[in-house]
Amino acid sequence: MREVQVMFNVMFKLKDFFKENRFDYVVSLLTMIGSNGFSVFIPYIIGQLIDAIIKDELTGSALRLFGLLFLISLIGAYILEFIWSYYLFTGAAKLQAQMRSKLMNHFLKMRASFYEKFRTGDLMARATQDVRSIADTAGYGMMVLMNATLFLAVIVLMMGLSVSWKLTFFSLLPLTILAYLFGKLGNIVEKRYTAAQDAFSSLNNDVLEVVDGIRVIRAYVKEDDYVEKFRQQTESMLAKNNRVADANALFSPLTKVTLSVSNLISFGYGAYLVSKGQLSVGDIVAFQMYLGMIVWPIMSIGELTNVLRQGSASMERVETVLSANDSMEADGSKVIETVDDITVHGLSFKYPSSQDVNLDQIDVVIPKGKTLGIVGKTGAGKTTFIRQLLRQYPLGSGDLMVGTEPILAYKGKTVQNLIGYVPQDHILFSKSVRDNIAF
């Protein structure tokens, strides 16, 4: 039971999205039921047609009736399948857009300390591949869930009502073993998929660092070292993704072997029931067609396990980012319109990832209208001091006053609006010079 709860965890977490888009999913559900009904009616028509031929009771009008019913079933199944596919997969695209927008809004609110916890490549991986996996759960996952439940239930119902409940029971008995094996395989898939995603995040981070520092790498002739490191990382990621593929590859053969056993039982026991006069030849033909139709719903159970496990793992990775904060102090309530004297007394600060104190007992007064130049060697703390004024990191110990009030008494945006800042790490956008300066 716990394994089932873990597997469907992503569905529970998406309940607000499903509620918000309930019209789309209700339409998908109803049209899928109708499409399944038309589909399972076709074997029944064929079975009745075969019985009429064997009994020499087939007339021209009966043949035309069978043909008309067959055509109506095909057209009805096609139209309804198009409708549920449209509503289901547009909902998945909508979820993907919403989650990426939510992540971007969170990224824009976070300050520098947040980006020390999560590197850029890791955030990119979570905002792309992980969000895509979650969206697949709401689209493809919902489709296979409906197929594995609704379509399977309709087929089993038709097998029992139109042919024989005894034959249905014994033929589907091997599927209980299949369900157990799918649960075990699902646990393996989830663990391996999480490891593969972590490897992808790490590779993203290192590639971005190499691109940013390519000039330094070339200056120190370190190209071969980084090429070798990249090769090792890609091989490691390939091995981890192959382990996921190995686990996924077991679903299909297990399904085929189990269904082959079911077919063997249906042929043997079905032939016995025909010899006893309890079933007709047309019933056996229809039953075999139902068993053929049951292949996809049974295989979709494996697909469902795979999609839900990957979706749950991705949901946890995305939620980890969304629940993380930058540990910044709450904004004050005062609005500052002009900057008076800036007074710093006993200010000490250490970066969250640093072992050493980066600013130690800084005392300085910057009178209004005056200019202060700060010089020092690399790593002396010049940029760190400016970052404290910009409140990019939590304020260290000591006092940082703007006028007569602590800087934390003011709304952060009102302070930042009065500061012009040119970072030493420049960024150029693919826009005009005017747009770059304006940014």
Side-chain angles (χ1 to χ4, degrees), residues 236-254:
S236 174
M237 189 178 74
L238 176 63
K240 290 176 180 178
N241 278 296
N242 282 341
R243 283 173 56 79
V244 177
D246 290 343
N248 287 333
L250 294 175
F251 285 107
S252 181
L254 280 174

Side-chain angles (χ1 to χ4, degrees), residues 100-113:
R100 285 185 176 152
S101 177
K102 189 175 182 180
L103 279 169
M104 180 55 70
N105 289 333
H106 187 65
F107 295 160
L108 293 174
K109 292 176 183 177
M110 294 296 101
R111 302 290 181 85
S113 57

Side-chain angles (χ1 to χ4, degrees), residues 268-312:
Y269 189 52
Y272 171 78
L273 293 178
V274 170
S275 67
K276 293 295 184 180
Q278 297 180 25
L279 292 179
S280 66
V281 176
D283 289 334
I284 294 299
V285 172
F287 193 85
Q288 289 302 317
M289 291 186 68
Y290 286 132
L291 275 181
M293 293 175 69
I294 216 172
V295 171
W296 164 239
I298 293 299
M299 292 187 69
S300 67
I301 295 176
E303 290 286 331
L304 177 65
T305 303
N306 183 19
V307 170
L308 291 182
R309 289 288 185 176
Q310 292 185 4
S312 295

